[in-house]
Amino acid sequence: MSASVALARDAVAAAADSLAAVGVETPRLDAEVLTAAAAGVDRLELIAQPELGLDATASRTLMGWVRRRTRREPVAYIIGRRAFRRIEVAVDSRVLIPRPETELLVEVAIELAPPGGQVHDVGTGSGAIALAVKDERPDLTVTASDRSASAVDVARRNAERLGLDVEISGGGGLPPGEYDLVVANLPYVRLDEWAALPPEIQGYEPREALIAGEDGLEEIRALVAAVPAGSLVALEHAPGQAESVRGMLADAETRPDLAGRDRVTIGRS
Ligand SMILES: C[S@@+](CC[C@H](N)C(=O)[O-])C[C@H]1O[C@@H](n2cnc3c(N)ncnc32)[C@H](O)[C@@H]1O
């Protein structure tokens, strides 16, 4: 083996040490994901082949990525992608990184949307929710929108790359149309919570994708007010907001995420 080839096992160990030294919460996992991406394999392949060699280019890439991660840039922005349900979406600092708990909203949409129905995703960001719904329920007509023009750009590119037929438009609120189901993971962080958020969020994710006024409910409240009366909606929110969101809807029901926290409320506007 040439002197410029490092073993994956050693590269992961060195990266994990650097990340642990600055207090990254999941140093080993992050080191594995970054090393695998630099080597052009997936994480499980990397774990199965600790003797895999990283050539000089991959090693240099990894060093740069580890440096970025020590400054707390999220792994998903560094490697430029995030797995979500059965798809992988491209992400960058213009959009929120889709969270695992948001997969529940997709599950709910798949369950509630009638065969051949029309579903709209408000505040689509990277497009993750709308694209995952279309991927798992190709019978549905799925549309999405976002008030951020750069998010629309990211979501459209994801739709094109994944070959999923989802129309994505710009603009705030719900575009005119007849929908069987409206889903949304809108901003729901309270203003006073911002300062306590991890550096990965504060330093890198778009603030306007997260904050929703004093009580964190401004965006959800505005959407419910704008949706035609009687429409079926499914809304992601913080666990502590479940009761308030149920209070905005008729026939409301809240579902817990995998961690058992109230996460998605379904009801009629
Ligand atoms: C919390 S992020 C969620 C992004 C994506 N839905 C996800 O789950 O990964 C909220 C998104 O909603 C968008 N947004 C906020 N208020 C909006 C509004 N009133 N109308 C449309 N989009 C909005 C933001 O630009 C941002 O992309």
Side-chain angles (χ1 to χ4, degrees), residues 96 98 102 122-125 129 146-148 171-173 185-187 209 219:
L96 190 96
T102 301
V122 181
T124 197
I129 297 167
D146 203 290
R147 70 178 174 191
S148 153
N185 174 25
L186 286 166
E219 295 293 346

Side-chain angles (χ1 to χ4, degrees), residues 16 44 50 93 96 109 115 124 147 154 160-161 172 174 178 188 194 196 209 215 251 256 260:
L44 295 182
S93 58
L96 190 96
T124 197
R147 70 178 174 191
V154 173
E160 199 179 316
R161 191 180 44 79
L174 182 67
E178 288 198 1
Y188 55 72
W194 179 254
D215 65 355
D251 307 324

Side-chain angles (χ1 to χ4, degrees), residues 55-257:
D55 65 18
T57 306
S59 296
R60 240 189 335 269
T61 299
L62 179 62
M63 274 173 59
W65 285 356
V66 170
R67 210 171 302 121
R68 285 168 67 182
R69 186 71 190 106
T70 61
R71 294 195 286 261
R72 297 305 186 94
E73 184 171 350
V75 169
Y77 288 156
I78 296 172
I79 64 171
R81 57 182 195 268
R82 175 65 167 234
F84 185 78
R85 299 282 297 189
R86 302 190 321 196
I87 59 174
E88 195 171 70
V89 288
V91 290
D92 60 39
S93 58
R94 297 174 295 167
V95 292
L96 190 96
I97 299 164
R99 305 296 203 262
E101 58 268 27
T102 301
E103 296 195 357
L104 174 63
L105 192 51
V106 175
E107 212 171 287
V108 165
I110 286 166
E111 175 194 321
L112 297 181
Q118 172 94 38
V119 176
H120 187 84
D121 171 26
V122 181
T124 197
S126 63
I129 297 167
L131 295 169
V133 169
K134 182 68 183 175
D135 175 55
E136 294 179 50
R137 283 284 307 273
D139 62 297
L140 300 172
T141 299
V142 182
T143 51
S145 56
D146 203 290
R147 70 178 174 191
S148 153
S150 38
V152 170
D153 183 46
V154 173
R156 281 185 180 152
R157 284 170 196 261
N158 275 321
E160 199 179 316
R161 191 180 44 79
L162 291 164
L164 290 166
D165 183 15
V166 172
E167 197 181 304
I168 298 149
S169 57
L174 182 67
E178 288 198 1
Y179 307 109
D180 298 295
L181 174 66
V182 174
V183 297
N185 174 25
L186 286 166
Y188 55 72
V189 175
R190 294 193 319 262
L191 258 178
D192 67 349
E193 290 176 313
W194 179 254
L197 293 177
E200 280 83 354
I201 298 178
Q202 275 195 61
Y204 294 92
E205 295 205 271
R207 194 176 190 273
E208 61 283 6
L210 287 155
I211 298 287
E214 300 286 336
D215 65 355
L217 288 166
E218 272 180 14
E219 295 293 346
I220 290 179
R221 212 178 278 118
L223 176 64
V224 172
V227 168
S231 304
L232 187 60
V233 297
L235 304 164
E236 178 171 329
H237 49 71
Q241 295 168 335
E243 201 179 330
S244 303
V245 177
R246 282 197 298 274
M248 298 176 200
L249 300 167
D251 307 324
E253 167 207 347
T254 299
R255 302 264 181 101
D257 61 23

